[in-house]
């Protein structure tokens, strides 16, 4: 399983197993995306908040690293598009806040 790229660093787990850093990035990314989905689905946060977009962006970057190494190109393209949407949303949130601050003076 870890023969995809022998240059990858392999981490030893407590139970004697191994996990590639890219696999760990994928797991962490999945947790972040699911956390964002949970929070938005149960109205804990708004999609107009930075935290939602940051969770999505960091999550898809982690997943993207993992699927890039595995050469899962359709999923990699999906993650790139998802990251682009998150980045655009973060810029829109930032400029909307900045515009509101300028109007209040």
């Amino acid at each position: 399983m870890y023969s995809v790229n022998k240059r990858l660093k392999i981490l030893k787990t407590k139970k004697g197993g191994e996990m590639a850093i890219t696999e760990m990035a994928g797991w962490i990314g999945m947790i972040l995306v699911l956390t964002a989905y949970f929070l938005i689905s149960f109205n804990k946060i708004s999609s107009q908040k930075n935290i939602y977009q940051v969770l999505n962006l960091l999550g898809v970057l982690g997943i993207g690293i993992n699927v890039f190494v595995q050469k899962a190109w359709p999923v990699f393209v999906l993650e790139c598009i998802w990251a682009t949407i998150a980045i655009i949303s973060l810029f829109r949130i930032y400029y909307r806040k900045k515009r509101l601050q300028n109007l209040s003076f």
Side-chain angles (χ1 to χ4, degrees):
M1 178 175 194
Y2 298 108
S3 62
V4 173
N5 187 340
K6 294 201 184 248
R7 294 180 305 224
L8 297 176
K9 293 190 178 190
I10 304 296
L11 302 175
K12 298 285 184 186
T13 63
K14 289 182 180 180
K15 295 184 179 180
E18 296 179 336
M19 179 181 289
I21 290 175
T22 56
E23 185 177 353
M24 183 179 293
W27 280 106
I28 292 170
M30 181 268 310
I31 290 167
L32 292 173
V33 169
L34 284 177
T35 300
Y37 183 61
F38 171 83
L39 292 172
I40 200 80
S41 294
F42 289 94
N43 296 319
K44 302 294 183 186
I45 57 173
S46 165
S47 64
Q48 298 304 311
K49 297 289 184 184
N50 286 340
I51 188 67
Y52 175 71
Q53 300 301 337
V54 169
L55 285 171
N56 270 313
L57 179 60
L58 294 176
V60 299
L61 289 175
I63 296 169
I65 290 168
N66 184 266
V67 297
F68 178 80
V69 169
Q70 294 180 19
K71 298 181 180 175
W73 303 124
V75 180
F76 180 72
V77 170
L78 170 68
E79 301 306 318
C80 289
I81 293 168
W82 198 324
T84 302
I85 292 168
I87 290 168
I88 291 169
S89 295
L90 283 168
F91 277 114
R92 290 181 69 203
I93 292 167
Y94 172 77
Y95 285 113
R96 186 176 300 130
K97 284 182 182 179
K98 193 171 185 177
R99 190 171 12 140
L100 289 174
Q101 288 174 349
N102 289 339
L103 291 176
S104 66
F105 289 115

